[in-house]
Amino acid sequence: MTHGTGGTAQRGRSGPDSQGLLDSSLMASGTASRSEDEESLAGQKRASSQALGTIPKRRSSSRFIKRKKFDDELVESSLAKSSTRAKGTSGVEPGRCSGSEPSSSEKKKVSKAPSTPVPPSPAPAPGLTKRVKKSKQPLQVTKDLGRWKPADDLLLINAVLQTNDLTSVHLGVKFSCRFTLREVQERWYALLYDPVISKLACQAMRQLHPEAIAAIQSKALFSKAEEQLLSKVGSTSQPTLETFQDLLHRHPDAFYLARTAKALQAHWQLMKQYYLLEDQTVQPLPKGDQVLNFSDAEDLIDDSKLKDMRDEVLEHELTVADRRQKREIRQLEQELHKWQVLVDSITGMSSPDFDNQTLAVLRGRMVRYLMRSREITLGRATKDNQIDVDLSLEGPAWKISRKQGVIKLKNNGDFFIANEGRRPIYIDGRPVLCGSKWRLSNNSVVEIASLRFVFLINQDLIALIRAEAAKITPQ
């Protein structure tokens, strides 16, 4: 009984105390808005769901939701709120980007925590620039590899292994394109020390055809040891291929693997031509006061003058000028067959109008046009349009079409003019419109845009043409 009453008394005490705490909490939270209660309830649900390991569903409501703030706005708002808090006003926790007000529990945490502004995040600009620079490096490597072909790399390696001298390699090896000594040196050092370039070059050389590799190896330079062995062959003797084949068998270590007896014979002949064999001697120059020996002449030579300093800009300009001149010469050569009409000035002298090659003459006031082909074109010459008879030499021809008309000689000896321009051509006062033609007779007056010409026919030459046409017709 005592235990039972104690239990009831204990429950009786706990009832009013819990009721009072509930009333005080309701009074304290009465001033908070409905949005705060919703947020606190949402936070409790989120915490419980995280503890249980479940993912909560996204809450949606009909109330107005503010937009999210960006990084610069967050920094500015946090700095402004921290400054107002320093003056004595209670604010929100810095760095908070929620659209609604914080709950009462969060306000208590904010009041206990010190108000320190959040420093702005560093700008990511330098990292981006570094990434851009790194991405450009492989492009430069591939661009460098594009000029140096696998055949050039194999030639360079073989030549350096034979001579051990990059200057000799630059002077003696013929690559696919012209490289300077500095480019050869940079390429050799890149093949030695740059892992990316050496790996790519080795992969490309492995893909070469065996015939191409054999052709490249046959072009390898001769080493000093090889030339010393070849120089021992006498210049007075007439060695055969068997002699050089025997030399290859006796000295397999000294000669390059790709050497053949024919290649050794060709190089021996070249050495003999330049007096490089052991039994060959060069006749010395006669000594005297006016004659210098080789050592004296060598001392007088300035080494800086021997090096040809190339001017790439000047060479480029000369190449462009030479190409332009060749193009003009080619155009003139192509237009030679069109130069059948000669333009002569009328000087008043009693010069004959016709010769053995002139079929007819179109005589104007200033110039005359000699017709030496069976068909000529009339008009106004321009840069893009070349014609046989340029009427602008006679006078103002701005009203004349670029191709005004065509004069043709038929097989029977008759001349016809066809109008192909916009303006009419007047023959003895009769207009010939565009697309029409008219027969020209001797002493016909041709008028084109206020320019008048007299058409004269070489009667003797036309009579011969008619006679030949009459002979051919019966057959």
Side-chain angles (χ1 to χ4, degrees), residues 388-432:
D388 298 328
V389 177
D390 186 9
L391 300 177
S392 61
L393 299 176
E394 173 66 19
W398 58 276
K399 292 184 179 181
I400 298 175
S401 301
R402 285 175 291 183
K403 188 176 181 182
Q404 184 65 42
V406 179
I407 298 177
K408 293 182 180 180
L409 174 62
K410 300 291 185 179
N411 293 330
N412 58 1
D414 294 336
F415 289 89
F416 285 88
I417 184 170
N419 187 6
E420 297 183 0
R422 296 181 180 179
R423 295 179 178 273
I425 299 175
Y426 292 91
I427 308 298
D428 295 329
R430 297 184 183 90
V432 180

Tab-separated table of all heavy atoms in Angstrom, residues 388-432:
chain	number	residue	atom	x	y	z
A	388	ASP	N	41.223	40.466	-128.926
A	388	ASP	CA	42.176	40.685	-130.017
A	388	ASP	C	42.279	42.158	-130.403
A	388	ASP	O	43.379	42.684	-130.592
A	388	ASP	CB	41.765	39.859	-131.235
A	388	ASP	CG	41.776	38.365	-130.928
A	388	ASP	OD1	42.609	37.942	-130.109
A	388	ASP	OD2	40.942	37.630	-131.501
A	389	VAL	N	41.158	42.849	-130.531
A	389	VAL	CA	41.137	44.252	-130.972
A	389	VAL	C	40.599	45.096	-129.829
A	389	VAL	O	39.416	45.010	-129.485
A	389	VAL	CB	40.267	44.428	-132.240
A	389	VAL	CG1	40.206	45.895	-132.633
A	389	VAL	CG2	40.820	43.591	-133.374
A	390	ASP	N	41.460	45.880	-129.230
A	390	ASP	CA	41.074	46.760	-128.125
A	390	ASP	C	40.694	48.117	-128.716
A	390	ASP	O	41.543	48.892	-129.153
A	390	ASP	CB	42.224	46.894	-127.139
A	390	ASP	CG	41.817	47.670	-125.896
A	390	ASP	OD1	40.609	47.951	-125.746
A	390	ASP	OD2	42.703	47.996	-125.085
A	391	LEU	N	39.405	48.412	-128.723
A	391	LEU	CA	38.925	49.651	-129.337
A	391	LEU	C	39.213	50.876	-128.494
A	391	LEU	O	39.050	51.995	-128.976
A	391	LEU	CB	37.412	49.546	-129.606
A	391	LEU	CG	36.982	48.413	-130.548
A	391	LEU	CD1	35.474	48.376	-130.669
A	391	LEU	CD2	37.615	48.597	-131.921
A	392	SER	N	39.633	50.677	-127.237
A	392	SER	CA	39.937	51.840	-126.397
A	392	SER	C	41.200	52.556	-126.855
A	392	SER	O	41.435	53.700	-126.455
A	392	SER	CB	40.091	51.393	-124.941
A	392	SER	OG	41.157	50.468	-124.818
A	393	LEU	N	42.008	51.926	-127.712
A	393	LEU	CA	43.186	52.613	-128.250
A	393	LEU	C	42.805	53.673	-129.278
A	393	LEU	O	43.580	54.602	-129.530
A	393	LEU	CB	44.139	51.588	-128.885
A	393	LEU	CG	44.692	50.507	-127.952
A	393	LEU	CD1	45.525	49.512	-128.741
A	393	LEU	CD2	45.530	51.122	-126.849
A	394	GLU	N	41.629	53.555	-129.864
A	394	GLU	CA	41.184	54.527	-130.859
A	394	GLU	C	40.572	55.767	-130.231
A	394	GLU	O	40.770	56.879	-130.699
A	394	GLU	CB	40.172	53.855	-131.799
A	394	GLU	CG	39.483	54.784	-132.802
A	394	GLU	CD	40.455	55.347	-133.826
A	394	GLU	OE1	41.539	54.779	-134.013
A	394	GLU	OE2	40.127	56.380	-134.434
A	395	GLY	N	39.847	55.595	-129.121
A	395	GLY	CA	39.188	56.724	-128.481
A	395	GLY	C	38.428	56.275	-127.256
A	395	GLY	O	38.656	55.173	-126.725
A	396	PRO	N	37.518	57.119	-126.739
A	396	PRO	CA	36.733	56.754	-125.544
A	396	PRO	C	35.840	55.557	-125.837
A	396	PRO	O	34.969	55.612	-126.704
A	396	PRO	CB	35.915	58.018	-125.244
A	396	PRO	CG	35.885	58.774	-126.529
A	396	PRO	CD	37.156	58.466	-127.256
A	397	ALA	N	36.074	54.490	-125.058
A	397	ALA	CA	35.349	53.240	-125.315
A	397	ALA	C	34.580	52.774	-124.097
A	397	ALA	O	34.339	51.579	-123.940
A	397	ALA	CB	36.342	52.157	-125.765
A	398	TRP	N	34.189	53.700	-123.223
A	398	TRP	CA	33.488	53.272	-122.018
A	398	TRP	C	32.067	52.806	-122.301
A	398	TRP	O	31.444	52.135	-121.480
A	398	TRP	CB	33.466	54.410	-120.999
A	398	TRP	CG	32.834	55.682	-121.484
A	398	TRP	CD1	33.420	56.666	-122.199
A	398	TRP	CD2	31.485	56.089	-121.276
A	398	TRP	NE1	32.527	57.675	-122.475
A	398	TRP	CE2	31.326	57.346	-121.905
A	398	TRP	CE3	30.381	55.528	-120.626
A	398	TRP	CZ2	30.115	58.031	-121.912
A	398	TRP	CZ3	29.193	56.215	-120.622
A	398	TRP	CH2	29.073	57.461	-121.265
A	399	LYS	N	31.513	53.150	-123.475
A	399	LYS	CA	30.188	52.670	-123.855
A	399	LYS	C	30.239	51.343	-124.606
A	399	LYS	O	29.198	50.758	-124.892
A	399	LYS	CB	29.482	53.713	-124.726
A	399	LYS	CG	29.116	54.988	-123.991
A	399	LYS	CD	28.343	55.927	-124.893
A	399	LYS	CE	27.952	57.210	-124.160
A	399	LYS	NZ	27.179	58.127	-125.024
A	400	ILE	N	31.413	50.882	-124.954
A	400	ILE	CA	31.563	49.648	-125.716
A	400	ILE	C	31.616	48.468	-124.749
A	400	ILE	O	32.230	48.545	-123.679
A	400	ILE	CB	32.840	49.712	-126.583
A	400	ILE	CG1	32.726	50.866	-127.580
A	400	ILE	CG2	33.069	48.408	-127.327
A	400	ILE	CD1	33.967	51.084	-128.396
A	401	SER	N	31.004	47.366	-125.132
A	401	SER	CA	31.019	46.163	-124.294
A	401	SER	C	32.406	45.537	-124.314
A	401	SER	O	33.222	45.805	-125.202
A	401	SER	CB	29.986	45.146	-124.791
A	401	SER	OG	28.687	45.710	-124.773
A	402	ARG	N	32.652	44.703	-123.305
A	402	ARG	CA	33.950	44.046	-123.250
A	402	ARG	C	34.163	43.105	-124.432
A	402	ARG	O	35.270	42.967	-124.938
A	402	ARG	CB	34.089	43.277	-121.934
A	402	ARG	CG	34.347	44.189	-120.757
A	402	ARG	CD	34.353	43.433	-119.460
A	402	ARG	NE	33.013	42.959	-119.116
A	402	ARG	CZ	32.711	42.308	-117.985
A	402	ARG	NH1	33.649	42.055	-117.113
A	402	ARG	NH2	31.478	41.913	-117.762
A	403	LYS	N	33.087	42.465	-124.890
A	403	LYS	CA	33.145	41.703	-126.135
A	403	LYS	C	32.013	42.196	-127.020
A	403	LYS	O	30.872	41.757	-126.912
A	403	LYS	CB	33.010	40.195	-125.848
A	403	LYS	CG	33.256	39.342	-127.084
A	403	LYS	CD	33.202	37.852	-126.749
A	403	LYS	CE	33.485	37.005	-127.996
A	403	LYS	NZ	33.401	35.558	-127.720
A	404	GLN	N	32.357	43.146	-127.884
A	404	GLN	CA	31.350	43.807	-128.686
A	404	GLN	C	30.962	42.987	-129.910
A	404	GLN	O	29.792	42.898	-130.262
A	404	GLN	CB	31.854	45.178	-129.138
A	404	GLN	CG	30.844	46.005	-129.917
A	404	GLN	CD	29.644	46.407	-129.086
A	404	GLN	OE1	29.788	46.792	-127.931
A	404	GLN	NE2	28.452	46.317	-129.663
A	405	GLY	N	31.932	42.395	-130.579
A	405	GLY	CA	31.601	41.655	-131.785
A	405	GLY	C	32.729	40.748	-132.230
A	405	GLY	O	33.830	40.766	-131.664
A	406	VAL	N	32.460	39.943	-133.275
A	406	VAL	CA	33.420	38.987	-133.829
A	406	VAL	C	33.402	39.122	-135.342
A	406	VAL	O	32.326	39.171	-135.961
A	406	VAL	CB	33.075	37.539	-133.426
A	406	VAL	CG1	34.078	36.557	-134.028
A	406	VAL	CG2	33.047	37.395	-131.921
A	407	ILE	N	34.590	39.205	-135.971
A	407	ILE	CA	34.731	39.232	-137.430
A	407	ILE	C	35.302	37.893	-137.861
A	407	ILE	O	36.354	37.475	-137.377
A	407	ILE	CB	35.636	40.391	-137.889
A	407	ILE	CG1	35.020	41.743	-137.474
A	407	ILE	CG2	35.839	40.349	-139.402
A	407	ILE	CD1	35.888	42.931	-137.834
A	408	LYS	N	34.611	37.200	-138.781
A	408	LYS	CA	35.020	35.888	-139.239
A	408	LYS	C	35.197	35.901	-140.756
A	408	LYS	O	34.515	36.627	-141.464
A	408	LYS	CB	33.983	34.825	-138.857
A	408	LYS	CG	33.849	34.579	-137.375
A	408	LYS	CD	32.832	33.474	-137.099
A	408	LYS	CE	32.695	33.212	-135.599
A	408	LYS	NZ	31.706	32.134	-135.321
A	409	LEU	N	36.115	35.070	-141.210
A	409	LEU	CA	36.351	34.853	-142.640
A	409	LEU	C	35.878	33.458	-143.011
A	409	LEU	O	36.368	32.452	-142.477
A	409	LEU	CB	37.840	35.013	-142.974
A	409	LEU	CG	38.249	34.665	-144.403
A	409	LEU	CD1	37.541	35.580	-145.406
A	409	LEU	CD2	39.751	34.755	-144.564
A	410	LYS	N	34.899	33.382	-143.917
A	410	LYS	CA	34.381	32.102	-144.361
A	410	LYS	C	35.355	31.469	-145.356
A	410	LYS	O	36.286	32.097	-145.853
A	410	LYS	CB	33.007	32.278	-145.004
A	410	LYS	CG	31.958	32.867	-144.075
A	410	LYS	CD	31.578	31.887	-142.972
A	410	LYS	CE	30.449	32.437	-142.112
A	410	LYS	NZ	30.050	31.508	-141.053
A	411	ASN	N	35.103	30.184	-145.677
A	411	ASN	CA	35.954	29.483	-146.633
A	411	ASN	C	35.811	30.015	-148.050
A	411	ASN	O	36.729	29.915	-148.864
A	411	ASN	CB	35.631	27.980	-146.610
A	411	ASN	CG	36.017	27.341	-145.287
A	411	ASN	OD1	36.953	27.781	-144.629
A	411	ASN	ND2	35.281	26.295	-144.897
A	412	ASN	N	34.652	30.619	-148.351
A	412	ASN	CA	34.462	31.167	-149.692
A	412	ASN	C	35.039	32.560	-149.857
A	412	ASN	O	34.880	33.177	-150.920
A	412	ASN	CB	32.966	31.177	-150.026
A	412	ASN	CG	32.165	31.982	-149.013
A	412	ASN	OD1	32.733	32.543	-148.073
A	412	ASN	ND2	30.854	32.031	-149.190
A	413	GLY	N	35.689	33.121	-148.809
A	413	GLY	CA	36.319	34.426	-148.922
A	413	GLY	C	35.461	35.582	-148.480
A	413	GLY	O	35.865	36.747	-148.661
A	414	ASP	N	34.314	35.355	-147.881
A	414	ASP	CA	33.441	36.433	-147.415
A	414	ASP	C	33.706	36.702	-145.937
A	414	ASP	O	33.933	35.781	-145.146
A	414	ASP	CB	31.973	36.060	-147.607
A	414	ASP	CG	31.601	35.940	-149.077
A	414	ASP	OD1	32.301	36.557	-149.906
A	414	ASP	OD2	30.628	35.208	-149.381
A	415	PHE	N	33.650	38.009	-145.547
A	415	PHE	CA	33.816	38.435	-144.156
A	415	PHE	C	32.449	38.753	-143.570
A	415	PHE	O	31.610	39.415	-144.221
A	415	PHE	CB	34.712	39.672	-144.073
A	415	PHE	CG	36.159	39.398	-144.375
A	415	PHE	CD1	36.631	39.474	-145.681
A	415	PHE	CD2	37.038	39.069	-143.369
A	415	PHE	CE1	37.961	39.224	-145.967
A	415	PHE	CE2	38.375	38.815	-143.646
A	415	PHE	CZ	38.828	38.890	-144.944
A	416	PHE	N	32.209	38.300	-142.346
A	416	PHE	CA	30.971	38.575	-141.628
A	416	PHE	C	31.324	39.116	-140.248
A	416	PHE	O	32.314	38.697	-139.637
A	416	PHE	CB	30.103	37.328	-141.506
A	416	PHE	CG	29.396	36.931	-142.753
A	416	PHE	CD1	30.012	36.104	-143.682
A	416	PHE	CD2	28.121	37.398	-143.019
A	416	PHE	CE1	29.371	35.734	-144.846
A	416	PHE	CE2	27.470	37.033	-144.188
A	416	PHE	CZ	28.090	36.205	-145.104
A	417	ILE	N	30.509	40.060	-139.780
A	417	ILE	CA	30.651	40.604	-138.428
A	417	ILE	C	29.403	40.257	-137.632
A	417	ILE	O	28.275	40.430	-138.122
A	417	ILE	CB	30.917	42.127	-138.451
A	417	ILE	CG1	31.158	42.634	-137.013
A	417	ILE	CG2	29.798	42.890	-139.135
A	417	ILE	CD1	31.660	44.063	-136.940
A	418	ALA	N	29.569	39.726	-136.431
A	418	ALA	CA	28.460	39.356	-135.539
A	418	ALA	C	28.497	40.256	-134.318
A	418	ALA	O	29.556	40.461	-133.706
A	418	ALA	CB	28.557	37.895	-135.128
A	419	ASN	N	27.357	40.814	-133.949
A	419	ASN	CA	27.261	41.713	-132.801
A	419	ASN	C	26.928	40.892	-131.555
A	419	ASN	O	25.918	40.193	-131.514
A	419	ASN	CB	26.185	42.773	-133.054
A	419	ASN	CG	26.162	43.826	-131.949
A	419	ASN	OD1	27.006	43.823	-131.062
A	419	ASN	ND2	25.196	44.727	-132.020
A	420	GLU	N	27.776	40.974	-130.533
A	420	GLU	CA	27.540	40.270	-129.277
A	420	GLU	C	27.448	41.228	-128.093
A	420	GLU	O	27.415	40.790	-126.947
A	420	GLU	CB	28.671	39.257	-129.021
A	420	GLU	CG	28.744	38.165	-130.058
A	420	GLU	CD	29.834	37.141	-129.741
A	420	GLU	OE1	30.506	37.316	-128.708
A	420	GLU	OE2	29.998	36.196	-130.536
A	421	GLY	N	27.439	42.529	-128.334
A	421	GLY	CA	27.352	43.522	-127.269
A	421	GLY	C	25.954	44.072	-127.108
A	421	GLY	O	25.008	43.706	-127.826
A	422	ARG	N	25.785	44.976	-126.154
A	422	ARG	CA	24.471	45.567	-125.900
A	422	ARG	C	24.091	46.604	-126.953
A	422	ARG	O	22.949	46.683	-127.393
A	422	ARG	CB	24.455	46.208	-124.513
A	422	ARG	CG	24.635	45.213	-123.371
A	422	ARG	CD	24.571	45.929	-122.042
A	422	ARG	NE	24.733	44.988	-120.925
A	422	ARG	CZ	24.744	45.356	-119.644
A	422	ARG	NH1	24.603	46.646	-119.326
A	422	ARG	NH2	24.882	44.445	-118.691
A	423	ARG	N	25.050	47.436	-127.346
A	423	ARG	CA	24.764	48.509	-128.309
A	423	ARG	C	24.862	47.983	-129.735
A	423	ARG	O	25.632	47.061	-130.009
A	423	ARG	CB	25.732	49.663	-128.101
A	423	ARG	CG	25.575	50.341	-126.745
A	423	ARG	CD	26.570	51.472	-126.583
A	423	ARG	NE	26.388	52.141	-125.304
A	423	ARG	CZ	25.539	53.148	-125.105
A	423	ARG	NH1	24.822	53.606	-126.127
A	423	ARG	NH2	25.411	53.696	-123.923
A	424	PRO	N	24.128	48.579	-130.657
A	424	PRO	CA	24.185	48.128	-132.054
A	424	PRO	C	25.479	48.573	-132.729
A	424	PRO	O	26.122	49.539	-132.336
A	424	PRO	CB	22.960	48.784	-132.688
A	424	PRO	CG	22.710	49.996	-131.856
A	424	PRO	CD	23.107	49.638	-130.454
A	425	ILE	N	25.849	47.813	-133.768
A	425	ILE	CA	26.984	48.150	-134.624
A	425	ILE	C	26.415	48.601	-135.973
A	425	ILE	O	25.574	47.898	-136.565
A	425	ILE	CB	27.924	46.944	-134.807
A	425	ILE	CG1	28.492	46.496	-133.448
A	425	ILE	CG2	29.055	47.270	-135.762
A	425	ILE	CD1	29.338	45.228	-133.535
A	426	TYR	N	26.879	49.726	-136.445
A	426	TYR	CA	26.366	50.282	-137.708
A	426	TYR	C	27.360	49.952	-138.822
A	426	TYR	O	28.541	50.309	-138.757
A	426	TYR	CB	26.184	51.792	-137.599
A	426	TYR	CG	25.079	52.183	-136.641
A	426	TYR	CD1	25.341	52.415	-135.305
A	426	TYR	CD2	23.754	52.307	-137.087
A	426	TYR	CE1	24.330	52.764	-134.415
A	426	TYR	CE2	22.738	52.654	-136.208
A	426	TYR	CZ	23.037	52.882	-134.876
A	426	TYR	OH	22.030	53.218	-134.009
A	427	ILE	N	26.864	49.242	-139.865
A	427	ILE	CA	27.645	48.906	-141.047
A	427	ILE	C	27.059	49.703	-142.217
A	427	ILE	O	25.923	49.441	-142.669
A	427	ILE	CB	27.603	47.397	-141.354
A	427	ILE	CG1	27.973	46.579	-140.106
A	427	ILE	CG2	28.517	47.061	-142.521
A	427	ILE	CD1	29.372	46.844	-139.594
A	428	ASP	N	27.823	50.674	-142.673
A	428	ASP	CA	27.365	51.565	-143.766
A	428	ASP	C	26.020	52.193	-143.422
A	428	ASP	O	25.124	52.333	-144.286
A	428	ASP	CB	27.267	50.792	-145.091
A	428	ASP	CG	28.626	50.305	-145.565
A	428	ASP	OD1	29.638	50.985	-145.274
A	428	ASP	OD2	28.684	49.243	-146.213
A	429	GLY	N	25.840	52.551	-142.154
A	429	GLY	CA	24.613	53.204	-141.722
A	429	GLY	C	23.510	52.251	-141.323
A	429	GLY	O	22.476	52.704	-140.811
A	430	ARG	N	23.651	50.963	-141.531
A	430	ARG	CA	22.610	49.997	-141.177
A	430	ARG	C	22.928	49.411	-139.800
A	430	ARG	O	24.038	48.921	-139.580
A	430	ARG	CB	22.527	48.878	-142.208
A	430	ARG	CG	22.139	49.354	-143.596
A	430	ARG	CD	22.001	48.139	-144.519
A	430	ARG	NE	21.695	48.554	-145.882
A	430	ARG	CZ	22.613	48.823	-146.807
A	430	ARG	NH1	23.893	48.739	-146.494
A	430	ARG	NH2	22.249	49.173	-148.028
A	431	PRO	N	21.976	49.439	-138.878
A	431	PRO	CA	22.253	48.898	-137.540
A	431	PRO	C	22.224	47.369	-137.545
A	431	PRO	O	21.356	46.739	-138.142
A	431	PRO	CB	21.120	49.482	-136.692
A	431	PRO	CG	19.998	49.712	-137.647
A	431	PRO	CD	20.628	50.056	-138.979
A	432	VAL	N	23.198	46.794	-136.857
A	432	VAL	CA	23.252	45.343	-136.626
A	432	VAL	C	23.053	45.140	-135.123
A	432	VAL	O	23.916	45.503	-134.320
A	432	VAL	CB	24.592	44.751	-137.104
A	432	VAL	CG1	24.617	43.250	-136.841
A	432	VAL	CG2	24.816	45.047	-138.580
